[in-house]
Amino acid sequence: MARVNEHYRKLAAGYLFPEIGRRTREFQQQHPDAQLLRLGIGNTTEPLTPSVIAGLHNGVDQLADRETYRGYGDEQGDLDLREALARFYKGRSMEIASDEFFISDGAKPDSGNIQSIFSLDSRPAFQDPAYPVYVDTNVIAGRSGPYNPDTGTYERFIYMPCTKENRFIPELPSEPADLIYLCSPNNPTGAVATHDELKRFVDYARDRKAVIIFDASYSEYIDDPDLPRSIYEVDGAKQCAIEINSFSKFAGFTGVRLGWSVVPKELTVADSDFGTVHSLWFRRQTTFFNGASNIVQRGGLAVLSDAGLQECGELTSYYMGNARIIKEGLQEIGLQAYGGDNAPYIWMETPGGMTSWEFFDKLLSEAWVIGTPGSGFGPSGEGYFRLSAFGHREDISRAVDRIQKRLTL
Ligand SMILES: *Cc1c(COP(=O)(O)O)cnc(C)c1O
């Protein structure tokens, strides 16, 4: 007699994006002429750049010829891609060996799967609000108690509130934590941790033999040269941190699918030696995953070429131009807006103490603009609202114009 994994039943209903869809459809049915502008989902919209397209074509062409055809590749990812990543980090003064990189099909799978190499009684700590994958995958693994709908939290999990009082950078966990999930630049708040703020977490993790799981998916959106784009810019981080990153937001690969994780060999936990955690992730990936597409890895290599980096820099600058338009546009009409300086998300405070969902309805009905209610990312997101800069410039400008002209405050 088979039974389902009971932990799935504990998951709070995945309600955010379906509910946005439901309210949007309902509004559109009642107002068929309304041209809605979507600043909700964090999905890229601009095309891949010329060098990257050439790299992908090259990957296809290699498969057309017996001499260059390849089937399964190296389990950790193509060596030339891993070496290019090692050079990319070295260009920023970090020494990561090519065999400490694991190429994957994206940061979402890696950030969800990484927990499987740690003991089930490890206590995880999460930023609140956060990208939902970290919490949900730990629930599915069985690390949580039941969900409490009144507090919006799971028993046994540690939440690290990110509020305007702490500039959306969390304090250290309030109870002893074993797995610490950090995302900087942050989705949804757009906040970026400084070197000193990351160092506090690195020192904590080294003291406790805890592990930091650092999601750096938005690293290439950092403009300010003083802000760390990798946790390994902090001394000692290789002993305690796994970094997860992706070509999705960096190069527009959201639909192409390519990412990487760094698991340093010197990372150790309470019951492991040098190299153990690294070899467990190798084991996990070789058991469950058969490598990223070889075509797509050619595209990733092209991203890391001089021309590719230049072009992708222009791509991220384009979205950051959108972010500036949104943030300044909101501030001009007296709204409180955060983030958006080194991250493609604007995190605004809802006006007049409205709930996140009340503001969603107001923005939709008055300005015909769709955003994301902050409460969907965790209890501390209540009273906030996320606007994404991943749109075409003309749509962003029209949305801001409508917000300024039509939103009654
Ligand atoms: C978009 C996003 C990802 C997903 O990356 P993929 O590589 O497309 O799977 C991971 N983490 C955060 C915080 C994101 O916003």
Side-chain angles (χ1 to χ4, degrees):
M1 191 169 57
R3 288 182 204 277
V4 299
N5 174 352
E6 58 178 352
H7 303 304
Y8 276 83
R9 295 196 206 274
K10 287 188 206 152
L11 287 169
Y15 140 99
L16 177 64
F17 289 105
E19 180 63 13
I20 290 174
R22 193 190 66 74
R23 293 190 192 209
T24 305
R25 277 191 304 279
E26 193 176 293
F27 181 80
Q28 190 81 78
Q29 274 159 11
Q30 288 161 4
H31 306 86
D33 297 332
Q35 287 180 13
L36 302 181
L37 292 169
R38 292 163 205 277
L39 275 59
I41 297 181
N43 200 355
T44 50
T45 54
E46 292 296 316
L48 298 179
T49 70
S51 304
V52 176
I53 290 292
L56 290 166
H57 280 167
N58 170 254
V60 172
D61 290 341
Q62 286 184 342
L63 298 182
D65 187 335
R66 206 182 233 182
E67 298 305 314
T68 50
Y69 172 83
R70 288 172 314 134
Y72 294 125
D74 189 315
E75 288 135 330
Q76 269 186 263
D78 289 350
L79 181 60
D80 48 6
L81 180 55
R82 288 185 283 114
E83 286 177 343
L85 282 167
R87 283 194 298 277
F88 182 64
Y89 277 74
K90 195 168 171 58
R92 295 176 177 175
S93 306
M94 289 167 278
E95 295 288 341
I96 314 281
S98 60
D99 64 354
E100 292 175 313
F101 290 96
F102 293 81
I103 307 299
S104 73
D105 56 347
K108 183 177 195 169
D110 281 5
S111 58
N113 293 329
I114 196 75
Q115 49 77 26
S116 83
I117 63 172
F118 298 104
S119 122
L120 275 185
D121 57 16
S122 320
R123 277 192 82 188
F126 309 99
Q127 283 168 288
D128 169 28
Y131 185 59
V133 175
Y134 321 135
V135 168
D136 287 0
T137 53
N138 275 282
V139 172
I140 290 169
R143 289 194 183 85
S144 78
Y147 180 71
N148 180 342
D150 297 331
T151 56
T153 59
Y154 291 90
E155 276 174 32
R156 271 184 53 77
F157 284 1
I158 302 162
Y159 292 83
M160 302 181 289
C162 300
T163 61
K164 66 179 174 186
E165 285 72 31
N166 58 24
R167 292 177 35 259
F168 307 100
I169 304 296
E171 319 299 331
L172 292 173
S174 55
E175 295 173 71
D178 306 310
L179 303 175
I180 302 163
Y181 287 79
L182 293 177
C183 175
S184 175
N186 192 264
N187 175 13
T189 66
V192 186
T194 63
H195 191 278
D196 286 349
E197 286 161 345
L198 289 185
K199 186 173 185 310
R200 261 195 298 136
F201 278 91
V202 167
D203 290 346
Y204 174 91
R206 286 171 67 195
D207 270 2
R208 265 193 60 74
K209 285 270 171 211
V211 174
I212 296 170
I213 295 159
F214 189 74
D215 185 340
S217 291
Y218 296 95
S219 58
E220 300 318 299
Y221 286 83
I222 294 179
D223 244 358
D224 182 342
D226 293 331
L227 292 171
R229 285 180 283 190
S230 164
I231 192 148
Y232 304 119
E233 291 184 34
V234 177
D235 281 341
K238 283 183 80 178
Q239 293 158 27
C240 64
I242 291 172
E243 180 160 295
I244 295 171
N245 207 327
S246 164
F247 291 92
S248 283
K249 316 294 164 45
F250 177 6
F253 274 40
T254 40
V256 180
R257 312 303 309 143
L258 191 67
W260 72 89
S261 287
V262 179
V263 185
K265 293 199 187 117
E266 63 196 84
L267 170 75
T268 54
V269 292
D271 57 352
S272 81
D273 302 320
F274 182 93
T276 306
V277 173
H278 174 275
S279 66
L280 287 184
W281 183 241
F282 183 87
R283 188 75 168 86
R284 193 272 165 211
Q285 289 300 76
T286 52
T287 302
F288 285 86
F289 180 59
N290 239 345
S293 152
N294 47 18
I295 300 170
V296 169
Q297 292 191 71
R298 296 290 96 186
L301 196 58
V303 170
L304 297 171
S305 68
D306 289 342
L309 288 173
Q310 166 79 29
E311 292 165 3
C312 291
E314 288 164 17
L315 190 63
T316 52
S317 299
Y318 175 89
Y319 291 128
M320 288 309 296
N322 290 347
R324 207 163 305 124
I325 290 169
I326 299 170
K327 186 170 185 179
E328 288 172 5
L330 297 175
Q331 288 174 336
E332 278 165 19
I333 56 168
L335 291 167
Q336 291 296 322
Y338 304 92
D341 295 327
N342 294 281
Y345 294 113
I346 285 76
W347 187 242
M348 60 164 284
E349 224 176 316
T350 58
M354 299 179 92
T355 68
S356 300
W357 279 109
E358 284 166 352
F359 186 73
F360 175 89
D361 290 334
K362 180 180 173 70
L363 193 68
L364 176 59
S365 61
E366 294 182 357
W368 300 350
V369 171
I370 299 161
T372 312
S375 54
F377 298 100
S380 297
E382 183 58 278
Y384 290 90
F385 199 76
R386 190 190 75 174
L387 291 169
S388 158
F390 286 121
H392 300 307
R393 178 66 51 87
E394 56 278 18
D395 292 338
I396 299 282
S397 298
R398 279 171 67 210
V400 170
D401 190 56
R402 282 198 204 152
I403 291 171
Q404 292 196 330
K405 293 201 172 113
R406 299 203 211 154
L407 198 69
T408 56
L409 293 171

